[in-house]
């Protein structure tokens, strides 16, 4: 069995931690707030299984796991010291949490068997982490698993998806490839659909473009994912955002799958009842990930002298809405 440290106990972090714990792996969850640690220690991590099409006996079942929980401020090595086999540190926090302080903390607390697995939306976080931890120990994970936090505060698994694992550095060695395969095998045993990707940068960009369409529009319109394509004017905005992002990717020589627009619509269908993370943040008055998602696209476009007028307008609207909530 493997060793896992999941940093962040939101919807996605809880999904991976609970499923991996169910599969018999050693799982540690790192949280920042003492009250959150107390909640998990008392009641465990709770995951509501609401995936359509599962066997009736598991539909809407509540699965509870009791992983070891620690605070982010501790100085011991993640996952304990020593141990055999690879140790995977799953970063299940927002990109805004990828700070210099986190990078330094990871560098101090990684052991020699550790691999950092980045589950962030957007772009730019790998470069930020590589300033503090060995870049050859960074893995990218792109997932289309659907998960959200319910009004009751429980993590809900709303739709099965696919998870791709790849090396942050294009030059892969045998050690990295073995670690990737181990991680994929263990994810599959935990019930996830997972695969090693030899072109993870394209996967990252494809998810970025999908998020840059769905997340800000659902946040501004205050609608769940599945409603977007059914609103004629919203569907026109979706298409404009998609075409601008795809043109930027082509200009940067990033390969996109020919059916990416259909995949985007399928994400809306598969996660129809989901309230995107950006919508949840906007509703709760929290900062959104607009800088990591749309802001990332705009920065890349600016470097290439490419205009993204629809993305820029959406970016300004989200930033204005955030500022309005602080007044």
């Amino acid at each position: 069995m493997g060793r896992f440290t999941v940093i962040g106990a939101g919807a996605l972090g809880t999904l991976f931690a609970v499923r991996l714990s169910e599969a018999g792996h050693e799982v540690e969850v790192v949280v920042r707030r003492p009250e959150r640690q107390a909640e998990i220690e008392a009641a465990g991590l709770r995951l509501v299984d609401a995936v359509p099409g599962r066997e009736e006996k598991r539909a809407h079942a509540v699965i509870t796991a009791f992983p070891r929980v620690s605070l982010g401020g501790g100085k011991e090595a993640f996952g304990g010291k020593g141990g055999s086999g690879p140790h995977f540190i799953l970063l299940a926090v927002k990109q805004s949490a990828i700070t210099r302080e986190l990078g330094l903390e990871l560098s101090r607390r990684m052991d020699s068997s550790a691999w950092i697995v980045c589950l962030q939306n957007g772009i730019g976080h790998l470069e930020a982490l590589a300033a503090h931890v060995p870049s050859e120990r960074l893995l990218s994970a792109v997932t289309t698993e659907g998960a959200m936090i319910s009004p009751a505060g429980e993590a809900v698994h709303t739709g099965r998806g696919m998870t791709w694992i790849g090396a942050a550095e294009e030059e892969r060695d045998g050690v990295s490839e073995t670690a990737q395969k181990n991680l994929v095998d263990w994810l599959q045993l935990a019930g996830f659909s997972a695969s090693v990707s030899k072109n993870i940068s394209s996967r990252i960009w494809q998810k970025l473009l999908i998020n840059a369409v769905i997340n800000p529009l659902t946040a501004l319109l205050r609608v769940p994912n599945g409603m977007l394509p059914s609103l004629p004017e919203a569907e026109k905005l979706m298409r404009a955002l998609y075409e601008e992002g795809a043109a930027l990717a082509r200009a940067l020589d990033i390969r996109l799958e020919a059916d990416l627009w259909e995949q985007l619509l399928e994400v809306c269908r598969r996660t129809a009842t989901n309230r995107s993370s950006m919508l949840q943040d906007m509703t709760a008055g929290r900062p959104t990930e607009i800088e990591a998602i749309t802001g990332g696209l705009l920065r890349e476009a600016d470097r290439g002298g490419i205009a993204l007028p629809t993305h820029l307008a959406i970016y300004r609207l989200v930033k204005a809405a955030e500022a309005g909530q602080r007044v």
Side-chain angles (χ1 to χ4, degrees):
M1 291 290 102
R3 288 188 297 149
F4 289 87
T5 296
V6 180
I7 299 181
L12 204 58
T14 297
L15 170 62
F16 278 94
V18 169
R19 292 298 186 198
L20 289 165
S21 179
E22 272 194 305
H25 297 289
E26 177 188 339
V27 178
E28 171 190 33
V29 174
V30 175
V31 294
R32 289 180 295 176
R33 296 182 293 115
E35 57 270 27
R36 182 60 174 143
Q37 177 180 11
E39 289 173 3
I40 297 172
E41 288 177 338
L45 280 176
R46 294 170 61 79
L47 176 69
V48 178
D49 185 355
V51 175
R54 282 193 185 273
E55 308 90 22
E56 185 177 347
K57 65 187 175 92
R58 287 188 64 83
H60 291 80
V62 178
I63 305 131
T64 304
F66 285 88
R68 186 163 70 89
V69 186
S70 66
L71 289 175
K75 299 300 180 185
E76 73 282 0
F78 288 132
K81 297 184 178 180
S84 60
H87 167 215
F88 294 107
I89 301 172
L90 274 57
L91 283 186
V93 295
K94 293 180 181 177
Q95 193 184 53
S96 58
I98 308 296
T99 60
R100 177 177 179 273
E101 290 71 25
L102 178 60
L104 291 171
E105 193 71 14
L106 286 168
S107 69
R108 284 193 292 264
R109 295 176 62 179
M110 286 175 65
D111 59 27
S112 59
S113 64
W115 297 83
I116 297 176
V117 184
C118 299
L119 285 154
Q120 283 63 48
N121 295 321
I123 52 178
H125 53 281
L126 293 170
E127 293 80 0
L129 285 168
H132 306 288
V133 302
S135 57
E136 65 272 14
R137 286 279 163 171
L138 290 174
L139 300 178
S140 290
V142 175
T143 186
T144 58
E145 292 286 345
M148 61 181 285
I149 298 296
S150 73
E154 292 178 322
V156 183
H157 189 195
T158 56
R160 285 180 58 85
M162 184 72 188
T163 300
W164 292 272
I165 304 295
E169 289 190 331
E170 291 299 323
E171 298 81 11
R172 291 171 291 271
D173 56 27
V175 176
S176 175
E177 290 178 352
T178 298
Q180 293 170 54
K181 186 177 185 306
N182 283 336
L183 177 56
V184 164
D185 288 346
W186 286 336
L187 288 174
Q188 290 174 344
L189 288 172
F192 295 101
S193 296
S195 177
V196 172
S197 173
K198 296 186 180 300
N199 194 11
I200 197 68
S201 60
S202 288
R203 297 285 181 192
I204 290 171
W205 266 82
Q206 289 181 162
K207 186 176 182 183
L208 173 64
L209 295 188
I210 290 173
N211 283 333
V213 172
I214 295 175
N215 286 17
L217 287 180
T218 54
L220 290 169
L221 298 174
R222 305 292 176 113
V223 297
N225 296 356
M227 191 174 291
L228 278 183
S230 68
L231 302 173
E233 297 305 317
E235 197 273 342
K236 292 176 185 176
L237 278 172
M238 291 174 69
R239 190 75 202 200
L241 290 169
Y242 170 78
E243 294 295 348
E244 285 184 7
L248 173 61
R250 287 193 295 270
L252 297 175
D253 201 27
I254 295 168
R255 183 179 62 81
L256 302 177
E257 293 179 5
D259 65 342
L260 186 57
W261 171 250
E262 287 72 24
Q263 291 182 40
L264 190 158
L265 296 177
E266 177 60 24
V267 169
C268 289
R269 287 190 290 268
R270 195 177 62 248
T271 62
T273 61
N274 269 31
R275 297 164 67 249
S276 73
S277 59
M278 198 172 289
L279 171 56
Q280 293 182 60
D281 288 338
M282 189 84 80
T283 303
R286 297 186 297 260
T288 71
E289 289 188 287
I290 193 69
E291 287 291 348
I293 298 174
T294 305
L297 285 177
L298 291 172
R299 286 187 290 275
E300 290 292 331
D302 186 60
R303 279 192 280 268
I306 298 170
L308 303 180
T310 315
H311 281 283
L312 180 58
I314 294 297
Y315 172 85
R316 287 173 173 168
L317 284 168
V318 173
K319 296 294 283 187
E322 288 181 334
Q325 290 178 322
R326 294 194 294 269
V327 173

